[in-house]
Amino acid sequence: MVSGMASVVAARCGFYTRALLACALSARVLLAQPQPISQPDARQLVELANQSRAAAGLPALKWDAALAGAAYDHALRMAHEGPIAHRYGGEPDLPERAAAAGAHFSLIEENIAVGNSPAQIHDGWMHSQGHHDNLLNAKIDHIGVALVPANGVLYAVADYAQSVTAMTQAQVEAKIGAILHGRGLTLVADAAGARRYCSLDEGMSGSDSGVKARFMMRWQSADIAKLPPELEQRVASGQFKQAAVGACDAKSSGESSQPVFTAYRVAVLMY
């Protein structure tokens, strides 16, 4: 760091959805006298974020301990490695880190910085378009923040996410079953066939596992409050009287062997 200057350097990664978007780096240097670093309070960054969101007419972000845990681990890594970055050699990327920490989400993004105080770091983010957009994203609803004092500065990480409620497979089946029952269908008690069809790899049909029904559909989504449009149309046709619902482990859509973004995989058989 140049003597007589306090720098806030922030790196912004575009938000993650099902596909990982490229990261862009930006830097902001603020002229200021060096300040002593005291034990930081990460919640100050949350309060500042929510003040800015309120001014923009956006709802406040809720604290997420899992996101905070992922942020803290990465902040420690930044303090140890030196130049700040969203990912270091041998480190999982942001979605994998957050998922491993126990977070459930359908969208995730991150701001990082090094500076002298929470207020200075927040100001730097608000004056950087990428960081500003992350913080004021209307889709996010949870936040986890970490501040690690080291080398005379604060290393800051803020992870923002659109959270997804964690549900068991039994709860998923009950949720979809309740929707179908509300549409006038009688639920079949034996869900073994639907579960078997659910677990098949893409491209495989029900006949590959001996499953038979007049209509079969499986899908994967973070939001199971709504049925897929095609299924809604079939149900509304009045051609079917019974249905079986089965849930199974979500399938990965990327290079990882496990799905990172929280998603539920469901199959419906109709008779």
Side-chain angles (χ1 to χ4, degrees):
M1 180 175 295
V2 179
S3 177
M5 299 177 64
S7 63
V8 174
V9 182
R12 179 254 181 174
C13 187
F15 66 78
Y16 292 78
T17 54
R18 296 290 172 186
L20 176 63
L21 302 184
C23 289
L25 297 180
S26 63
R28 174 175 170 80
V29 178
L30 304 177
L31 297 178
Q33 293 300 316
Q35 303 172 17
I37 302 300
S38 59
Q39 186 63 31
D41 182 359
R43 299 277 182 152
Q44 292 179 32
L45 275 176
V46 179
E47 294 172 1
L48 291 167
N50 282 334
Q51 288 173 14
S52 294
R53 287 177 65 85
L58 296 171
L61 300 175
K62 297 179 181 179
W63 181 261
D64 188 303
L67 289 177
Y72 182 72
D73 288 344
H74 188 64
L76 286 176
R77 188 75 179 261
M78 291 199 309
H80 176 73
E81 297 279 348
I84 64 173
H86 286 284
R87 188 180 185 185
Y88 297 99
E91 184 184 33
D93 63 14
L94 170 60
E96 291 175 308
R97 294 198 306 267
H104 298 272
F105 50 88
S106 58
L107 179 152
I108 190 165
E109 54 193 24
E110 180 176 81
N111 283 353
I112 61 177
V114 57
N116 286 325
S117 68
Q120 185 192 42
I121 290 168
H122 176 75
D123 182 69
W125 285 342
M126 291 301 293
H127 286 85
S128 166
Q129 191 63 52
H131 303 85
H132 172 279
D133 292 348
N134 277 351
L135 199 154
L136 298 186
N137 188 342
K139 294 181 179 180
I140 62 172
D141 51 28
H142 281 69
I143 184 174
V145 176
L147 285 172
V148 173
N151 308 313
V153 293
L154 294 176
Y155 291 84
V157 177
D159 289 341
Y160 315 97
Q162 182 179 52
S163 65
V164 172
T165 301
M167 300 178 69
T168 66
Q169 291 180 1
Q171 290 173 325
V172 171
E173 291 178 356
K175 178 71 173 181
I176 299 297
I179 295 174
L180 293 174
H181 182 71
R183 302 288 198 278
L185 292 171
T186 300
L187 296 180
V188 176
D190 185 1
R195 291 170 185 154
R196 201 157 61 243
Y197 177 60
C198 178
S199 64
L200 293 178
D201 292 333
E202 295 300 332
M204 298 182 68
S205 66
S207 60
D208 294 323
S209 63
V211 178
K212 296 180 180 180
R214 291 179 59 199
F215 175 79
M216 293 182 284
M217 182 176 184
R218 62 184 173 227
W219 72 97
Q220 188 165 301
S221 174
D223 182 9
I224 60 168
K226 296 180 180 179
L227 301 180
E230 181 182 356
L231 183 56
E232 284 280 16
Q233 292 173 5
R234 295 282 185 156
V235 172
S237 71
Q239 301 176 35
F240 307 96
K241 303 300 181 183
Q242 295 181 309
V245 181
C248 60
D249 292 338
K251 301 287 187 180
S252 174
S253 58
E255 296 179 357
S256 174
S257 60
Q258 295 294 328
V260 172
F261 292 86
T262 301
Y264 300 105
R265 189 171 177 83
V266 193
V268 169
L269 311 182
M270 295 199 296
Y271 309 89

